[in-house]
Amino acid sequence: MGRRERKKAATREALAAAARELFLERGFDQVTVAEIAAAADTAVSTLFVHFPGGKEALVLGDRSEREQSLTAAIRERPTNVSILQALHDFLATRGPFDPDPARQDTRLADLVVATPALRAYARSLWVSCETALAQVIADETNADEFSIRQLARYVLEIPDLAGTEPDPPAALATAFARLQRAWPDL
């Protein structure tokens, strides 16, 4: 990574760190982008260059990371692991499903669940991965297109639905058990 890329990465991390600290201290809705930029010693315009999704993206990132990780979970799974198991295992390490999160990660997951704007943004990030997820499943199977799109959509709704249950990991397991009954070959 060259000097310019390192500086961009450092600015991006400074903005995200400042946002996390302010959001956890005061709450998402009580913090402005101007305050975040000031805390990171950058301009508001710089914040939007790095995070065009605004405040929500400072907590949750953007679709590209999520999409790449999600599709890699299928493409890079061991040969004896089913697609559904790979998807379950991937989701089980994220947000409210993580069995051993760092304290700050737990607080951020709680913030997302408790903040309507963050929860809606998180859901939009997941469902925006539908086409990519369906394509990678299609590449790995011979299931019909509608069935694949249906499965992709169901999987991508799980974080929003199961993540707000009293026991998110148990809800995740229940959701995937049901998907396994519907798609036993995946």
Side-chain angles (χ1 to χ4, degrees), residues 29-48:
D29 293 325
Q30 286 68 45
V31 177
T32 67
V33 291
E35 291 170 317
I36 296 164
D41 196 26
T42 66
V44 171
S45 60
T46 301
L47 183 148
F48 284 109

Side-chain angles (χ1 to χ4, degrees), residues 144-165:
D144 67 274
E145 180 186 350
F146 178 73
S147 180
I148 290 170
R149 285 191 355 256
Q150 187 179 22
L151 173 61
R153 185 164 299 176
Y154 288 161
V155 166
L156 296 171
E157 291 288 354
I158 291 172
D160 184 54
L161 292 169
T164 59
E165 288 296 305

Side-chain angles (χ1 to χ4, degrees), residues 4 21 56 58 63 65 88 90 99 116-118 127 134-135 151:
R4 184 174 181 195
E21 185 177 323
E56 293 84 359
L58 285 156
R63 181 183 84 189
E65 180 279 333
H88 173 272
F90 169 76
L118 285 173
V127 298
Q135 183 59 57
L151 173 61

Side-chain angles (χ1 to χ4, degrees), residues 48-103:
F48 284 109
V49 166
H50 290 279
F51 294 94
K55 284 174 38 175
E56 293 84 359
L58 285 156
V59 176
L60 295 164
D62 63 20
R63 181 183 84 189
S64 63
E65 180 279 333
R66 197 169 301 241
E67 192 173 277
Q68 290 168 1
S69 299
L70 183 63
T71 57
I74 294 172
R75 285 191 184 111
E76 298 168 8
R77 74 189 191 284
T79 55
N80 62 337
V81 173
S82 71
I83 290 171
L84 285 173
Q85 187 62 53
L87 289 168
H88 173 272
D89 294 348
F90 169 76
L91 289 174
T93 64
R94 297 186 69 106
F97 308 116
D98 189 345
D100 190 27
R103 178 166 158 45

Side-chain angles (χ1 to χ4, degrees), residues 94-132:
R94 297 186 69 106
F97 308 116
D98 189 345
D100 190 27
R103 178 166 158 45
Q104 181 168 319
D105 292 342
T106 300
R107 292 177 64 211
L108 283 171
D110 291 345
L111 178 70
V112 170
V113 169
T115 307
L118 285 173
R119 187 164 170 214
Y121 185 76
R123 182 177 177 274
S124 74
L125 288 176
W126 283 115
V127 298
S128 70
C129 297
E130 181 180 337
T131 300

